[in-house]
């Protein structure tokens, strides 16, 4: 029995109710008992955009938005970015602990040996128009995978789930790279299982005539860090979509296609694409004050700024800024980085942004790095989807195994027409 309570008095009836408080929350279903009469449905909460609703208990990712803290399974993301690699972090997020050496070797082997996709997937992707948006191709192809693995429907079978989890984590870089090659009119490059997760991804993206592609170690590492930073972010829009779709027991490929679709939007994972467009439009540091003024006048947003949860510097943005320096040492400095740095400096001194607690988020700098690596802006949301696959799957698995979870089905306040009669048709 909970120690803390909330006592509510319903002024309509004069009745009082004592609701338990657990972990700073009251259960919305506890409000249902609050009725004016026996025919009353009971009190509900109204929370558009789920601004103040915990939809689940989760043990995966912790965020303190005010302090700018992000932890996976208790480990600060800064330490993970410095002392581990993406596949180890994927293991941690999925299984709760860092892998030991033996587990790490087996896990890496398993992921590496599922990187190939069926040749029919290739044919399917070749059917897209030459200029199809990579994210549209990515979403469709992930959904199509469900037709190749019909057994994935058995979502209550733990071994079966794990098989699909490994397949998805292994195959998303292959699909992502194929979308890029498709846009370029280049032949698709098969995975090279001698390379690391990110090294192989670079191989599938950029290999040309060489017999063996050698990834640049600095870029391989930078990408690995970026993937770690994007691996999970608790109940964000796309993860919520993954859980909601998965709650109907849809297979993980179908659920993940929905999650990726949610990520595509410019207010979520599509924001890094918008940041690049914005920086290109600003074009020169001298145009920044005028641009900021337009944002303050409500004529657009400063893309890559602001976050529903972080009301402080996004910790990921801080690490990404460092990665940017490493990448630019390799690729040469990107002009847009200077505009971004100046934009950040001016915005962080401006009362409009200070009072609203608007700070750079993960998308503010990631796009500039991707561009320096030779990626077009249309690939940016795909670059987000690859590592987020891990978070989506871990959250999906947690939802499936949570005895409290049921099919997601919110209520509504109906504000439409009351019942009325449709006139009878004349004979
Ligand atoms: N530029 C200018 N003003 C902003 C911005 C911004 N980027 N973000 C928020 N504001 C303003 C709002 O206009 C609002 O002002 P008001 O109080 O005068 O009306 C105030 O700050 C609060 O903003 P909300 O929109 O209520 O914040 P919310 O939590 O709903 O939105 C969001 C968060 C969607 C991320 C928003 O900040 C935004 O649109 N940012 C730009 C897009 C972006 O970078 N998205 C990526 C997020 S990170 C991720 O998904 C990986």
């Amino acid at each position: 029995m909970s120690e803390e309570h909330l006592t509510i008095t319903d002024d309509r009836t004069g009745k009082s109710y004592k609701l338990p408080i657990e972990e700073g929350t009251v259960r919305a279903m506890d409000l249902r008992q609050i009725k004016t009469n026996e025919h009353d449905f009971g009190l509900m909460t109204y929370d558009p955009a789920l601004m103040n609703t915990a939809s689940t208990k989760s043990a995966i990712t912790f965020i303190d938005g005010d302090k700018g803290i992000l932890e996976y399974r208790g480990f600060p993301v800064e330490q993970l970015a410095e002392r581990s690699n993406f596949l180890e972090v994927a293991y941690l997020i999925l299984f709760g602990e860092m892998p030991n050496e033996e587990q790490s070797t087996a896990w890496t082997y398993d992921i590496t040996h599922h990187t190939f996709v069926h040749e029919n997937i290739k044919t399917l992707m070749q059917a897209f128009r030459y200029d199809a948006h990579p994210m549209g191709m990515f979403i469709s192809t992930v959904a199509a995978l469900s037709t190749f693995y019909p057994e994935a429907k058995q979502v209550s079978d733990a071994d079966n789930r794990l098989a699909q989890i490994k397949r998805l984590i292994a195959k998303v870089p292959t699909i992502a790279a194929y979308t890029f090659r498709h846009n370029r009119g280049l032949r698709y490059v098969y995975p090279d299982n001698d390379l690391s997760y990110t090294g192989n991804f670079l191989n599938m993206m950029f290999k040309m005539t060489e017999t063996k592609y050698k990834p640049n170690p600095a870029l391989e590492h930078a990408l690995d860090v970026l993937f770690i930073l994007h691996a999970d972010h608790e109940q964000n829009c796309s993860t919520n979509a993954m859980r909601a779709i998965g709650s109907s027991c849809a297979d993980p490929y179908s659920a993940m296609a929905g999650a990726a679709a949610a990520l595509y939007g410019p207010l979520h994972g599509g924001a890094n694409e918008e940041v690049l467009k914005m920086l290109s439009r600003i074009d020169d540091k001298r145009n920044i004050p005028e641009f900021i003024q337009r944002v303050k006048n409500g004529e657009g947003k400063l893309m890559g700024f602001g976050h529903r949860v972080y009301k402080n510097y996004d910790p990921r943005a801080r690490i990404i800024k460092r990665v940017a320096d490493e990448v630019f040492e390799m690729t040469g400095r990107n002009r847009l980085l200077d505009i971004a740095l100046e934009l950040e400096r001016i915005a962080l001194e401006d009362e409009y942004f200070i009072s609203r607690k608007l700070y750079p988020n993960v998308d503010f700098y990631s796009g500039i790095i991707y561009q320096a690596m030779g990626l077009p802006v249309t690939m940016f949301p795909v670059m987000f989807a690859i590592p987020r696959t891990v978070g989506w799957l871990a959250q999906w698995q947690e939802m499936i195994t949570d005895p409290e979870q049921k099919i997601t089905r919110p209520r509504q306040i109906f504000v439409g027409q009351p019942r009325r009669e449709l006139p009878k048709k004349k004979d």
Side-chain angles (χ1 to χ4, degrees):
M1 189 66 182
S2 165
E3 299 281 309
E4 297 180 321
H5 290 91
L6 174 72
T7 302
I8 300 175
T9 304
D10 186 346
D11 288 336
R12 299 170 302 174
T13 58
K15 277 195 195 161
S16 281
Y17 303 84
K18 205 171 165 189
L19 309 187
I21 300 177
E22 279 173 37
E23 320 262 1
T25 56
V26 289
R27 284 191 178 250
M29 278 304 286
D30 282 349
L31 298 173
R32 191 66 79 71
Q33 58 182 306
I34 304 178
K35 299 180 179 194
T36 49
N37 60 59
E38 60 175 309
H39 303 296
D40 186 353
F41 181 75
L43 209 60
M44 292 194 299
T45 54
Y46 176 56
D47 189 9
L50 305 179
M51 300 273 289
N52 196 37
T53 294
S55 60
T56 186
K57 290 180 181 169
S58 180
I60 301 172
T61 292
F62 173 77
I63 302 175
D64 185 326
D66 290 329
K67 297 199 183 116
I69 293 173
L70 171 61
E71 292 166 1
Y72 301 148
R73 303 282 188 184
F75 294 113
V77 75
E78 293 82 356
Q79 291 179 19
L80 292 168
E82 216 176 284
R83 301 175 202 165
S84 63
N85 67 43
F86 174 67
L87 281 188
E88 287 169 342
V89 171
Y91 186 98
L92 168 74
I93 288 176
L94 281 156
F95 304 109
E97 294 297 335
M98 287 301 277
N100 60 29
E101 217 175 302
E102 199 182 316
Q103 289 163 330
S104 181
T105 309
W107 175 243
T108 306
Y109 180 91
D110 279 354
I111 299 298
T112 309
H113 287 81
H114 282 98
T115 47
F116 276 70
V117 292
H118 194 290
E119 283 295 292
N120 285 359
I121 283 286
K122 227 173 85 179
T123 320
L124 185 128
M125 293 185 72
Q126 278 160 345
F128 282 103
R129 272 181 62 122
Y130 69 97
D131 59 352
H133 195 290
M135 198 59 177
M137 289 191 264
F138 182 85
I139 293 166
S140 317
T141 309
V142 169
L145 281 181
S146 77
T147 67
F148 290 77
Y149 306 109
E151 75 278 12
K153 286 188 179 69
Q154 292 153 32
V155 294
S156 47
D157 173 349
D159 292 342
N160 195 300
R161 277 200 308 269
L162 185 57
Q164 316 315 324
I165 287 172
K166 285 178 187 167
R167 280 183 177 136
L168 266 163
I169 295 172
K171 290 182 202 310
V172 284
T174 314
I175 296 169
Y178 281 9
T179 70
F180 173 75
R181 306 284 294 200
H182 185 79
N183 282 164
R184 297 272 150 129
L186 293 168
R187 86 178 157 78
Y188 301 173
V189 175
Y190 288 120
D192 180 342
N193 290 351
D194 294 340
L195 299 174
S196 71
Y197 191 79
T198 50
N200 171 48
F201 178 62
L202 291 169
N203 157 66
M204 293 187 291
M205 294 283 286
F206 299 119
K207 183 172 191 279
M208 295 305 282
T209 54
E210 58 274 50
T211 35
K212 184 91 179 159
Y213 178 86
K214 285 205 189 77
N216 178 301
L219 294 187
E220 191 179 355
H221 175 252
L223 203 54
D224 198 77
V225 173
L226 283 168
F227 280 5
I228 290 174
L229 299 181
H230 285 86
D232 191 49
H233 213 230
E234 51 118 310
Q235 308 312 314
N236 55 86
C237 177
S238 55
T239 300
N240 187 52
M242 181 85 194
R243 282 179 174 261
I245 301 170
S247 77
S248 75
C249 293
D251 70 83
Y253 302 97
S254 304
M256 209 184 97
L263 184 74
Y264 191 9
L267 297 188
H268 189 11
N272 50 13
E273 184 172 346
E274 297 304 315
V275 171
L276 251 275
K277 287 187 200 153
M278 175 188 76
L279 294 175
S280 306
R281 272 198 308 272
I282 294 175
D283 189 48
D284 196 295
K285 279 199 260 185
R286 281 172 303 185
N287 300 328
I288 293 176
E290 190 199 325
F291 172 78
I292 294 272
Q293 193 51 51
R294 283 210 305 277
V295 170
K296 286 159 63 177
N297 294 346
E299 292 169 38
K301 280 187 170 166
L302 174 46
M303 298 309 284
F305 260 62
H307 199 278
R308 173 62 59 79
V309 179
Y310 293 118
K311 301 301 168 197
N312 198 328
Y313 214 101
D314 182 337
R316 300 170 299 174
R318 218 185 284 279
I319 305 169
I320 286 184
K321 230 166 136 179
R322 278 204 301 275
V323 175
D325 289 336
E326 287 165 29
V327 171
F328 291 132
E329 246 173 62
M330 270 294 313
T331 62
R333 203 170 169 85
N334 184 327
R335 207 174 58 81
L336 297 184
L337 178 66
D338 295 324
I339 299 179
L341 287 169
E342 184 65 359
L343 195 53
E344 177 188 330
R345 191 188 65 75
I346 294 179
L348 292 185
E349 286 174 359
D350 192 298
E351 189 45 33
Y352 176 95
F353 297 92
I354 295 171
S355 62
R356 289 170 177 78
K357 298 187 175 167
L358 300 171
Y359 292 87
N361 60 47
V362 67
D363 287 323
F364 194 64
Y365 289 104
S366 61
I368 308 174
I369 303 179
Y370 292 141
Q371 194 187 48
M373 286 180 172
L375 298 178
V377 287
T378 50
M379 274 301 285
F380 295 177
V382 178
M383 297 302 291
F384 197 150
I386 298 171
R388 185 52 60 86
T389 296
V390 168
W392 288 330
L393 291 168
Q395 300 270 351
W396 166 73
Q397 164 121 299
E398 188 176 56
M399 183 271 304
I400 294 278
T401 52
D402 180 348
E404 272 203 298
Q405 289 291 335
K406 292 174 172 230
I407 186 165
T408 302
R409 205 313 188 172
R411 296 278 173 173
Q412 64 169 7
I413 300 173
F414 180 67
V415 293
Q417 294 278 0
R419 185 193 164 99
R420 49 186 169 157
E421 299 299 321
L422 190 64
K424 283 190 179 145
K425 276 205 177 117
K426 291 197 181 103
D427 292 331

